[in-house]
Amino acid sequence: MTALHLRGVVLPGDAERDIWVVNGRVRTQPVPGAQTVVDGGFIVPGLVDAHCHVGIGPQGPVDLETAATQAETDRDAGTLLIRDCGAPIDTRPLQERLDLPRIIRAGRHLARPRRYIPHLGIDVGEPEQLPAAVAEQVEYGDGWIKLVGDWIDRDQGDLAPLWPQDVLKEAIDVAHAGGARVTAHVFGEDALPGLIEAGIDCVEHGTGLTTDVIAEMARRGTALVPTLINIENFPGIASGAGKYPKYAQHMLDLHARAGAMVAEAVEAGVPVYAGTDAGGGIAHGRLVDEIVALHKAGMTAEQAIASASWGARAWLGWSGLDEGTAADLLAFDEDPRLDLEVLRSPKRIMLRGRVVG
């Protein structure tokens, strides 16, 4: 394979650097005969969508060919690492394709019957069966487990938790013993204290977070992936929930305070990462929209980029651009820290050391 050479300001940082790429890895010492593919500008570690669903479309599960097209769309928008936050199909064949983003699979959503979107997750018949279901997903996934923490309870007419506290604690302990981390879909307030107390590693959406829970997440290092561009759908969800007026108003209230919640979490020191929730109601390829939304909610531009680049990569066990690390990167003519819209137009996309865009 031909050695490649790049020169530019490598983020995070302000100094211009030279890096070389050999066999998909970064080298920091000169490699004779390397072909220069970037000469000047700014180089950013590959973007990360920390909440994405490769394998889900507007009508539910999709076939593998469609899932591959979804991944290509994300790649062409600069997303080179995906934490797939639950998929109803087996996407392991996509992990073998060198032209597609790296995918970290969370297996399938674990929910209760009639307490989540049909056909996407696994229905756990009795709450006490959750630890066993988690153990199965530990074997099937890539180190993440996805729980449905709350959903509408039609008998109550509003959001309500799915799992008793003792069952949650046992299930999360099972995941941790198997080397996996656990995250959960949570919209409302009531499920959050129990999930945090049980030792969950991450919260998805988190629109019901309160000051006390945010403080506890910061103390524990529990991460938040707020999916702000998905929360923009809450008014539409509310308008279609005429049978459940309490739930509809609750969704509107959660939507109204989402930005302030994220700002408070960032200020408190909660690790916050960018995720689109692409699949279903959100189109793939919109990660920059989420980065912009996080900036509007209170992150600095550099924090917002980090939440979808070097910071998210480190959280997921990957890396920036140092000696021996994976050569997954984007190159830009302008500094995206000065204008996040720059992120929409990379002049080079390199994945596994290959120029793919």
Side-chain angles (χ1 to χ4, degrees):
M1 179 181 292
T2 302
L4 302 177
H5 167 244
L6 305 90
R7 178 184 297 113
V9 175
V10 180
L11 272 58
D14 295 304
E16 188 172 73
R17 290 170 46 194
D18 290 273
I19 60 176
W20 291 263
V21 176
V22 180
N23 294 327
R25 295 284 171 180
V26 171
R27 297 288 179 259
T28 55
Q29 298 300 314
V31 177
Q35 175 188 353
T36 298
V37 293
V38 173
D39 190 1
F42 295 81
I43 300 172
V44 179
L47 297 183
V48 179
D49 191 336
H51 185 132
C52 188
H53 299 284
V54 174
I56 298 176
Q59 307 306 316
V62 300
D63 59 30
L64 198 61
E65 182 179 356
T66 302
T69 300
Q70 293 173 339
E72 290 170 350
T73 299
D74 288 321
R75 177 204 64 201
D76 292 346
T79 296
L80 304 184
L81 177 62
I82 290 170
R83 184 180 65 140
D84 192 295
C85 225
I89 67 170
D90 186 352
T91 57
R92 284 176 289 188
L94 303 184
Q95 294 176 307
E96 301 172 4
R97 285 185 48 174
L98 300 181
D99 63 321
L100 295 182
R102 303 178 193 270
I103 301 175
I104 300 170
R105 297 163 41 257
R108 297 191 65 182
H109 305 73
L110 297 176
R112 298 293 316 287
R114 300 184 69 245
R115 294 295 304 279
Y116 194 56
I117 302 168
H119 313 303
L120 295 189
I122 293 173
D123 286 340
V124 178
E126 298 297 332
E128 293 73 19
Q129 297 172 320
L130 180 64
V134 164
E136 292 178 356
Q137 293 304 302
V138 168
E139 295 298 318
Y140 175 62
D142 297 329
W144 279 94
I145 301 297
K146 174 68 176 293
L147 306 180
V148 178
D150 71 0
W151 197 253
I152 186 171
D153 183 323
R154 290 167 178 80
D155 293 333
Q156 298 185 31
D158 200 1
L159 296 166
L162 270 70
W163 314 103
Q165 182 66 20
D166 58 338
V167 169
L168 270 179
K169 181 67 168 64
E170 182 182 354
I172 291 172
D173 286 348
V174 165
H176 289 168
R181 290 184 277 182
V182 184
T183 193
H185 161 106
V186 196
F187 282 163
E189 298 87 352
D190 292 349
L192 283 161
L195 288 164
I196 305 306
E197 181 63 29
I200 202 158
D201 301 281
C202 183
V203 169
E204 311 298 318
H205 318 301
T207 39
L209 285 171
T210 60
T211 296
D212 289 347
V213 177
I214 287 171
E216 184 64 11
M217 288 177 67
R219 187 184 74 80
R220 291 171 174 261
T222 310
L224 170 66
V225 181
T227 67
L228 286 171
I229 63 172
N230 179 41
I231 292 168
E232 288 304 310
N233 289 328
F234 280 19
I237 294 172
S239 69
K243 290 175 59 178
Y244 305 102
K246 184 178 177 182
Y247 167 71
Q249 186 58 52
H250 196 178
M251 294 298 283
L252 291 173
D253 293 343
L254 293 170
H255 172 263
R257 63 178 193 259
M261 176 275 293
V262 172
E264 184 175 355
V266 171
E267 180 67 22
V270 173
V272 176
Y273 301 105
T276 63
D277 206 359
I282 301 294
H284 287 263
R286 292 192 57 196
L287 182 59
V288 177
D289 291 338
E290 183 67 18
I291 296 170
V292 170
L294 289 170
H295 178 46
K296 290 179 178 178
M299 281 187 164
T300 67
E302 184 156 352
Q303 285 175 326
I305 298 170
S307 78
S309 180
W310 58 89
R313 294 178 72 84
W315 177 56
L316 293 174
W318 286 83
S319 59
L321 298 171
D322 299 307
E323 178 68 32
T325 62
D328 298 344
L329 58 88
L330 310 175
F332 302 92
D333 287 324
E334 306 295 333
D335 188 345
R337 296 171 296 185
L338 302 180
D339 181 2
L340 291 174
E341 294 298 319
V342 168
L343 293 170
R344 300 189 191 278
S345 303
K347 66 178 178 181
R348 286 284 184 274
I349 301 175
M350 180 178 287
L351 174 61
R352 299 181 175 88
R354 304 168 182 229
V355 176
V356 297

